[in-house]
Amino acid sequence: MAAPASKTLANLTGRYKLNKSLSTADIASILALQGTSTLIRKAIASASVTLTISQPSSNEYKIEQTATAASIPGTTEQYILDGEWRTNKDAFFGKVMGRSQWINLDEAKAKGEDLAGGWEDSDEGKLILAEGGSADGKWEAFRIWGFEQVGGEKRYTQSVKVWNKDGEEVRGKMVYDFVG
């Protein structure tokens, strides 16, 4: 389902379900590069994934991610858009470090032309960059968040790039349906 016109990155609060048919990101390949087990990869790849996003402040986002698969715990991630590096212990990935910040379209293009997307100009030309990786340096990733027209409808999207220390890389786009 399309996101309402009122939804922007400055007003992202809501629930979003991953639309696998519109997405190009291969979740199983991304998780493999991040070192997750085959069982977890298969379960998450076949699950319905939903993000519940809240905004405690204008530069802070809390994302609760749930997967409707047997015995897969949900995760909660905190994003503070100040560009500061932080560490966290993640249930799937162990100790991770990351940062997030506002960026403009030129900065998104510098991360990869194919990841720049067809972003809507609904946030004064701003996008969100979330980047990080495993604390031991085995993998790194970044996601660029924004809204785009996908199939003629406004959708919340995340362009993703994940790579590991062996030089393997996966890129793609996750497209979400707004569900309330």
Side-chain angles (χ1 to χ4, degrees):
M1 178 177 180
S6 63
K7 286 295 163 193
T8 66
L9 292 177
N11 177 25
L12 195 55
T13 297
R15 291 181 52 237
Y16 301 82
K17 181 178 176 185
L18 181 64
N19 184 319
K20 292 181 181 179
S21 66
L22 294 176
S23 297
T24 62
D26 180 348
I27 302 297
S29 294
I30 290 171
L31 292 170
L33 282 182
Q34 293 173 310
T36 58
S37 72
T38 302
L39 181 62
I40 295 292
R41 289 193 308 265
K42 286 183 179 181
I44 291 175
S46 66
S48 173
V49 176
T50 301
L51 306 179
T52 301
I53 302 174
S54 60
Q55 291 176 251
S57 71
S58 63
N59 277 338
E60 185 177 1
Y61 296 78
K62 179 180 171 186
I63 299 180
E64 296 177 40
Q65 185 169 278
T66 56
T68 56
S71 303
I72 302 279
T75 62
T76 300
E77 298 174 336
Q78 195 81 10
Y79 296 90
I80 301 171
L81 306 182
D82 62 4
E84 296 292 323
W85 286 97
R86 293 175 174 79
T87 58
N88 184 37
K89 179 141 174 77
D90 185 271
F92 291 112
F93 307 120
K95 189 174 180 182
V96 295
M97 48 190 268
R99 69 177 177 175
S100 51
Q101 60 195 357
W102 292 104
I103 62 171
N104 62 39
L105 184 57
D106 289 336
E107 292 167 311
K109 286 180 180 177
K111 290 286 185 184
E113 190 67 37
D114 58 322
L115 298 174
W119 307 109
E120 287 199 345
D121 191 17
S122 59
D123 289 287
E124 299 173 355
K126 294 181 182 177
L127 302 166
I128 295 174
L129 170 66
E131 59 186 326
S134 64
D136 60 10
K138 290 184 179 178
W139 60 268
E140 294 180 56
F142 69 76
R143 292 178 293 165
I144 300 171
W145 310 355
F147 283 92
E148 298 182 58
Q149 289 291 318
V150 179
E153 296 183 316
K154 180 179 181 173
R155 302 285 181 151
Y156 171 61
T157 65
Q158 294 183 2
S159 290
V160 181
K161 177 183 173 184
V162 179
W163 63 99
N164 65 18
K165 65 180 183 177
D166 297 326
E168 299 170 298
E169 179 181 296
V170 177
R171 294 175 180 234
K173 186 172 300 280
M174 294 187 287
V175 179
Y176 292 87
D177 294 331
F178 178 76
V179 292

